[in-house]
Amino acid sequence: GDSVTQTEGLVTLTEGLPVMLNCTYQSTYSPFLFWYVQHLNEAPKLLLKSFTDNKRPEHQGFHATLHKSSSSFHLQKSSAQLSDSALYYCALSAYNAGAKLTFGGGTRLTVRP
Amino acid sequence: GGIITQTPKFLIGQEGQKLTLKCQQNFNHDTMYWYRQDSGKGLRLIYYSITENDLQKGDLSEGYDASREKKSSFSLTVTSAQKNEMAVFLCASSNRRGATQYFGPGTRLLVL
């Protein structure tokens, strides 16, 4: 079946350092990949999603590149901000699953001054 | 734009009690979802519905019932609340494959 793995449950960084949150997936066919972000006491919301034509999606300084060869969609940002502290979910939309998403376990990012 | 509303915001129940959570969306989306969020376990799908009166089981459907009375609303029932249970239940909606899922603010459940 389809699955998403986020290896780090907790990541703590100092402000200004680069961010990289890992996401790998297993899916029979080429899926769409997403990153959702959930700030404290808020609902999860879409951060960015993969394109079908190898373009790199970017939003609020975050970017992610879909690498089909390694089945990965890691989230990156060049310089962490305090406001980036949140829970981040990687998710995939499988070819044969309609609109349903499969979520990873989530990574909690804490950025310290 | 649109919005998803969930009621109640907080729900305190007793062990063995049947508890119902409600969700409304005005996006006119076809598909609606119920997730359970526990610390360290991510978002686990309980039920989803691809149209009015349709129900599909997710990975965590045991112990829950759901009802899609109309396109805009989706209810979830905890059939028998478990003592000391504590979780957040999130409702979401979306349309076609690859589209964004929009989430509601959640219902926080505590069972005494």
Side-chain angles (χ1 to χ4, degrees), chain A residues 7-69:
Chain A
T7 49
E8 313 106 340
L10 296 167
V11 172
T12 302
L13 290 172
T14 302
E15 189 179 16
L17 290 181
V19 179
M20 180 154 147
L21 305 184
N22 290 320
C23 173
T24 56
Y25 65 90
Q26 284 189 314
S27 187
T28 306
Y29 301 101
S30 294
F32 284 106
L33 271 293
F34 302 79
W35 277 100
Y36 280 79
V37 60
Q38 184 179 23
H39 288 93
L40 193 62
N41 296 325
E42 293 183 10
K45 59 185 178 185
L46 180 70
L47 181 59
L48 46 82
K49 69 178 180 181
S50 63
F51 290 108
T52 54
D53 57 358
N54 296 322
K55 286 182 186 171
R56 189 178 82 168
E58 295 193 29
H59 186 63
Q60 296 178 345
F62 285 94
H63 62 268
T65 302
L66 181 61
H67 290 288
K68 294 179 183 177
S69 58

Side-chain angles (χ1 to χ4, degrees), chain B residues 35-97:
Chain B
Y35 293 95
R36 177 178 166 129
Q37 184 175 37
D38 295 274
S39 178
K41 292 187 180 177
L43 294 173
R44 293 184 288 174
L45 184 64
I46 305 171
Y47 269 98
Y48 68 105
S49 166
I50 61 175
T51 189
E52 186 177 333
N53 294 320
D54 173 75
L55 286 177
Q56 308 283 337
K57 290 184 178 181
D59 299 324
L60 202 66
S61 60
E62 190 162 334
Y64 302 94
D65 284 329
S67 174
R68 184 86 181 270
E69 306 89 0
K70 49 186 180 180
K71 187 174 182 178
S72 61
S73 67
F74 194 29
S75 301
L76 180 73
T77 298
V78 179
T79 56
S80 180
Q82 300 298 304
K83 189 173 176 62
N84 298 324
E85 184 174 4
M86 190 167 67
V88 177
F89 292 86
L90 291 167
C91 177
S93 72
S94 72
N95 264 340
R96 66 195 183 287
R97 178 179 176 254

